[in-house]
Amino acid sequence: MTERAFMVRAGNDNELVEEFKSRSLVAVGWEELGDVSDVRSYEEMKARFNSTDEYSEHNSRRIAQNAGQVNRFALEMEEGHLVLSYDKTEREYLIGEVTSGYEWEPSDHPPGYPHVRRVEWEDTVSRDEFTTSTKNTLGSTLTVFSLDDCVDEITGVLSGETPEESEDDEDTVPFVDEVENQADELISDILANMDPFVFEELVAAVLRAMGYHAKKTQDSQDKGVDVIASPDSLEFESPYIKAQVKRVQSKVGSSDMREFTGTLNNDERGLFVSTGGYTTGAEDAARNNEQRVTLIDRDKFIDLLIEHYDDLEPEYQATVPLKAVYIPSQDPPLEE
């Protein structure tokens, strides 16, 4: 039957791989859902998650993602489909064929993993046997996901064929660049949904992390200046900085820029932070003001946030929670 293929990860940390092998099965958690054999659709699966106390407090995105995984395991997967699981220790994939329907086995399963499918394991294949694009797909962190786009390559490898890297694979964006771009976009999403006043506080916090003494102005008296900063706490040292902060989708125009530069005295510097960027007119207005205005767009602000994140006060780290992760700085070279 084949036609479709799925990955089912062997627990959270590869701890179930030997049990998967010896007992000829794959299994997933979400034990509190109970038996889902009566569920008939993805929407019903989401409803089950929402009505289960242990999951009902999760946000909608997490519920949708987890419901999709259980739905794939219990409803989409069928006898005859290919199923893969990964042995991280050996860097190889178990590949087999699903031989049963969905089973609820709370008393005969890997502890905490009562949703079961029986499998006839056919072979193991080294990760190195697959092309770059397929390895990228196989690297998803989800517990259960579709491998339909890779099924031809997987069946070919099973039959002894050696897949060739396509031109698309060779032109693939390096993994580190892809991760950085995705991270920047996710940070951008957080900023785009942040309260504008909280964003102003965050800008002041980043300036403090950079070594400035910075604070948000009183909203009713700011006259277009949202943050003030100085190299010293008594504001004796130059330059004295006035900042305007806009968490917006559209570009700042020349009129807004001229209005802001009009607040600057001769011994003051201006900082304009806009997540929407600037029109050419606004950039010209900033340059014509004796080079005393520095423009920060979304990308530059994210760069500053990441660069000085470790020195950011904990309450402001919490507004944009980030985790440091080590990843290879370049992809492995393609084989000749």
Side-chain angles (χ1 to χ4, degrees), residues 47-217:
R48 177 69 68 88
F49 269 87
N50 279 309
S51 63
T52 303
D53 289 343
E54 287 78 3
Y55 309 118
S56 60
E57 297 301 318
H58 293 175
N59 63 45
S60 58
R61 184 173 66 178
R62 185 176 178 186
I63 286 177
Q65 184 181 81
N66 289 342
Q69 294 182 86
V70 179
N71 190 73
R72 282 188 284 276
F73 188 87
L75 275 69
E76 294 184 26
M77 196 180 294
E78 297 178 3
E79 292 182 52
H81 286 162
L82 282 181
V83 64
L84 282 71
S85 196
Y86 187 49
D87 184 340
K88 292 197 295 186
T89 303
E90 301 295 333
R91 289 191 69 251
E92 63 183 17
Y93 293 95
L94 311 177
I95 305 180
E97 182 178 305
V98 178
T99 59
S100 77
Y102 163 79
E103 299 177 11
W104 167 250
E105 298 289 351
S107 61
D108 179 29
H109 65 282
Y113 293 79
H115 307 282
V116 173
R117 289 276 189 169
R118 308 295 170 177
V119 178
E120 181 179 340
W121 297 114
E122 298 178 7
D123 206 346
T124 58
V125 175
S126 169
R127 179 170 167 81
D128 296 328
E129 294 296 318
F130 294 106
T131 61
T132 300
S133 61
T134 295
K135 284 190 285 190
N136 288 343
T137 299
L138 291 167
S140 170
T141 58
L142 294 176
T143 299
V144 184
F145 55 94
S146 170
L147 295 173
D148 291 353
D149 291 342
C150 313
V151 68
D152 290 340
E153 182 173 327
I154 294 167
T155 56
V157 168
L158 274 177
S159 63
E161 299 176 7
T162 300
E164 295 184 1
E165 297 280 356
S166 69
E167 292 183 4
D168 289 340
D169 293 331
E170 295 173 357
D171 293 337
T172 298
V173 175
F175 177 69
V176 63
D177 293 339
E178 183 176 347
V179 171
E180 287 180 348
N181 290 337
Q182 290 181 5
D184 283 353
E185 288 304 319
L186 290 173
I187 294 171
S188 178
D189 290 344
I190 294 174
L191 299 181
N193 290 283
M194 184 176 289
D195 182 279
F197 298 112
V198 175
F199 184 56
E200 292 172 7
E201 294 279 11
L202 179 62
V203 170
V206 170
L207 287 171
R208 289 194 294 273
M210 295 171 67
Y212 291 97
H213 294 264
K215 61 184 179 181
K216 187 178 178 301
T217 60

Side-chain angles (χ1 to χ4, degrees), residues 285-301:
R287 280 194 295 268
N288 292 336
N289 194 53
E290 300 179 359
Q291 300 294 328
R292 291 187 294 119
V293 178
T294 298
L295 305 183
I296 302 292
D297 60 13
R298 181 200 66 172
D299 293 340
K300 287 183 180 179
F301 180 74

Side-chain angles (χ1 to χ4, degrees), residues 42 59 245 281 284:
Y42 169 63
N59 63 45
V245 180
D284 289 341

Side-chain angles (χ1 to χ4, degrees), residues 271-288:
L271 176 67
F272 208 119
V273 181
S274 168
T275 56
Y278 307 89
T279 65
T280 301
E283 292 173 348
D284 289 341
R287 280 194 295 268
N288 292 336

Side-chain angles (χ1 to χ4, degrees), residues 213-215 228-241 267:
H213 294 264
K215 61 184 179 181
I228 55 174
S230 174
D232 70 300
S233 59
L234 296 178
E235 301 176 0
F236 287 156
E237 297 180 29
S238 296
Y240 185 77
I241 300 169
D267 58 344

